[in-house]
Amino acid sequence: MRKLKITELNRLTVDEYRTSAKMPLTVILDNVRSMNNIGSVFRTADAFRLEAICLCGITATPPDAEIHKTALGAEDTVAWRYYKDTLAAVRDLKQQGYTVCALEQAEGSIPLEQFDVQKGKKYAIVVGHEVKGVQQEVINECGCCLEIPQFGTKHSLNVSVAAGIVLWEFFRKNSLVFLEQTSSDT
């Protein structure tokens, strides 16, 4: 095996990315304080061609050198908007027809692998603060809570790692429809 060079990866240009079909998924960052986590979510959102990221509360916004260190330019490709209040973002997306799910350990949460991602439906995933998680008032407004099963001693995963797992799962479950859409982009 030979490692591929960047020029062999056939990635989209920034302009091609902006006009390409996007997976009907938005990430809502609920008071995420680490700029490394924010940048990492941008980079993962770019990889899976998400529609957008909502940056809420204390979550920093681009342009920012610390975000750029992990986003590596994805903050310039992925659409984003800022909301002073996470609840406002959730309500706005629900009004636009999104099914909003919190990523949180809660009574009645659905294990991620059991969640049925319905083709053609728009989703938003709320990912919470590194210590406090998703605010209870935000959970109350969500349609469900998704939980990543864990089997070790720790009670949670890093915010950007957890977001990456969820985004991959949504992409995997939507991949046939999404890949059909993206093949018409080229």
Side-chain angles (χ1 to χ4, degrees):
M1 272 184 262
R2 177 184 64 82
K3 182 177 171 180
L4 295 175
K5 297 175 185 173
I6 290 175
T7 56
E8 296 175 294
L9 296 177
N10 297 317
R11 298 292 189 242
L12 299 175
T13 66
V14 171
D15 289 336
E16 290 170 336
Y17 181 91
R18 287 184 180 142
T19 61
S20 66
K22 304 294 186 293
M23 187 166 53
L25 180 61
T26 293
V27 174
I28 302 170
L29 297 182
D30 178 21
N31 292 302
V32 172
R33 65 183 180 185
S34 164
M35 295 199 227
N36 290 327
N37 283 332
I38 298 163
S40 186
V41 171
F42 266 101
R43 195 160 159 193
T44 305
D46 176 277
F48 296 122
R49 269 205 247 170
L50 267 57
E51 284 183 338
I53 298 175
C54 296
L55 306 167
C56 304
I58 67 167
T59 307
T61 62
D64 184 283
E66 288 297 308
I67 292 172
H68 181 74
K69 280 195 326 194
T70 48
L72 296 177
E75 72 276 26
D76 299 325
T77 57
V78 177
W80 63 271
R81 54 194 172 278
Y82 175 78
Y83 290 84
K84 185 176 180 180
D85 180 57
T86 307
L87 211 47
V90 169
R91 289 176 177 156
D92 186 31
L93 289 169
K94 283 174 62 175
Q95 214 168 35
Q96 295 175 47
Y98 285 79
T99 297
V100 182
C101 306
L103 180 58
E104 190 58 80
Q105 299 168 17
E107 293 174 351
S109 63
I110 302 167
L112 180 60
E113 74 280 5
Q114 293 176 20
F115 185 69
D116 182 29
V117 177
Q118 297 175 9
K119 309 282 188 228
K121 202 168 184 182
K122 299 186 297 186
Y123 292 93
I125 303 296
V126 183
V127 181
H129 182 275
E130 289 86 346
V131 176
K132 300 174 184 175
V134 178
Q135 299 171 73
Q136 184 62 54
E137 67 178 359
V138 172
I139 291 171
N140 295 345
E141 193 71 27
C142 291
C144 68
C145 282
L146 301 178
E147 185 173 339
I148 299 169
Q150 297 172 63
F151 306 100
T153 62
K154 298 301 172 194
H155 70 278
S156 66
L157 294 165
N158 171 276
V159 168
S160 62
V161 170
I165 291 168
V166 171
L167 299 183
W168 165 249
E169 185 69 5
F170 269 75
F171 180 82
R172 188 184 67 76
K173 290 179 177 180
N174 258 319
S175 62
L176 293 177
V177 171
F178 180 69
L179 292 173
E180 287 171 8
Q181 286 177 325
T182 58
S183 66
S184 65
D185 291 345
T186 55

